[in-house]
Amino acid sequence: PILTSTFEERFEQNSTLIDDVIIRRLMRGALDTTSLPKYPEPLRIELLRLATLLMESMGRELVEHRKELIKFAWNHLKSEDSTSKLWAYVNVCRFIAVYETPPKIILQVYVALLRAFQPESRELVRIALDILIPALPRRLPPIEFVKAIKWTKKIMYEEGHALPMLVHVWQLFVRHPAMFYTYRQEFIPQMVQFFNRLGRFPNCTLENRSLAISVAELIVDWE
């Protein structure tokens, strides 16, 4: 928290606070993947958070360490600890937002986050997607961006029987309408079906009712 607030206040240049010597020590020490087996999970999570913050605030200074950064995060995507894994996704999304990344990896991360609609994952998945989505038009060539839209439709079709999944995806649309605007006609019929499904649940939560209103407003804005 102290480092975050210091970066935000910007009384000094970030590179003055954390110079090249400190960065090199971090990369060769704390963020060295060979040290991972020695780290307890709470420490791994804090290191992922630190690396994410540094990429956000000092992306240019870290550019020569891209390989070490992505390797550190990618190792945590295989973690059995769900919190470490989710923070790794946040980290990788920040990496994608800051640095050029192969489209295959970007799509792999996007699809994984679309499928991660479990309630216990919700907050960190939202953070990760809110970092990733604005970067997709910049990082994906047009043909690959279309693949992202197709994956969105495919997952909604395959897993749309689960109401939490639909809520997860429509919340994404409400937060990032610009990404889907060009393809809106492909999704509006499914939006209408979403209303019908909610209507069959007499005990629909206030949150889902509020989402239904937001989706209706989005359709009006799009039309």
Side-chain angles (χ1 to χ4, degrees):
I2 295 174
L3 189 57
T4 302
S5 61
T6 303
F7 281 151
E8 289 174 349
E9 289 171 356
R10 296 189 179 281
F11 291 133
E12 296 184 71
Q13 289 188 348
N14 294 341
S15 57
T16 303
L17 297 169
I18 300 181
D19 60 20
D20 290 342
V21 174
I22 295 175
I23 289 174
R24 285 196 295 271
R25 286 179 178 173
L26 277 172
M27 294 301 156
R28 294 172 184 171
L31 300 183
D32 181 6
T33 54
T34 60
S35 302
L36 285 181
K38 299 184 294 185
Y39 296 160
E41 287 302 326
L43 178 57
R44 293 185 184 205
I45 291 167
E46 291 306 316
L47 288 172
L48 284 164
R49 295 178 67 179
L50 173 62
T52 304
L53 175 62
L54 291 176
M55 282 189 287
E56 179 182 7
S57 303
M58 302 182 63
R60 189 164 49 188
E61 290 83 354
L62 291 170
V63 67
E64 66 182 80
H65 301 287
R66 287 172 297 174
K67 184 176 179 180
E68 297 100 309
L69 287 166
I70 194 64
K71 186 177 180 182
F72 183 77
W74 208 259
N75 270 274
H76 285 87
L77 292 181
K78 308 167 190 172
S79 173
E80 295 182 2
D81 181 84
S82 59
T83 306
S84 290
K85 189 172 186 176
L86 290 169
W87 272 110
Y89 273 113
V90 174
N91 182 286
V92 172
C93 288
R94 180 58 67 189
F95 182 95
I96 292 169
V98 175
Y99 304 117
E100 292 288 341
T101 310
K104 183 179 179 180
I105 290 178
I106 297 174
L107 289 173
Q108 184 178 343
V109 171
Y110 176 65
V111 170
L113 290 171
L114 280 184
R115 295 188 189 277
F117 60 88
Q118 295 76 13
E120 64 274 13
S121 308
R122 189 169 167 184
E123 183 59 24
L124 288 176
V125 169
R126 182 190 63 78
I127 292 171
L129 282 169
D130 286 349
I131 295 170
L132 178 63
I133 294 296
L136 291 183
R138 291 185 288 110
R139 295 290 179 231
L140 291 176
I143 191 170
E144 299 294 334
F145 186 81
V146 170
K147 288 182 183 179
I149 298 298
K150 288 181 177 179
W151 268 111
T152 307
K153 290 182 63 179
K154 177 180 173 63
I155 292 171
M156 291 176 69
Y157 178 78
E158 291 178 348
E159 304 186 30
H161 59 278
L163 184 60
M165 169 66 195
L166 292 176
V167 169
H168 170 57
V169 173
W170 293 131
Q171 285 176 337
L172 184 64
F173 274 63
V174 168
R175 295 198 309 272
H176 301 280
M179 173 171 166
F180 303 98
Y181 176 78
T182 303
Y183 307 92
R184 61 193 183 282
Q185 295 303 331
E186 299 182 36
F187 292 101
I188 287 177
Q190 291 169 290
M191 290 176 166
V192 174
Q193 290 178 12
F194 177 63
F195 296 136
N196 294 335
R197 285 199 64 180
L198 283 183
R200 295 201 297 269
F201 291 92
N203 298 322
C204 180
T205 65
L206 180 61
E207 180 185 22
N208 287 354
R209 291 181 189 276
S210 176
L211 175 60
I213 293 171
S214 297
V215 170
E217 291 174 345
L218 179 57
I219 293 173
V220 173
D221 290 342
W222 278 354
E223 293 300 306

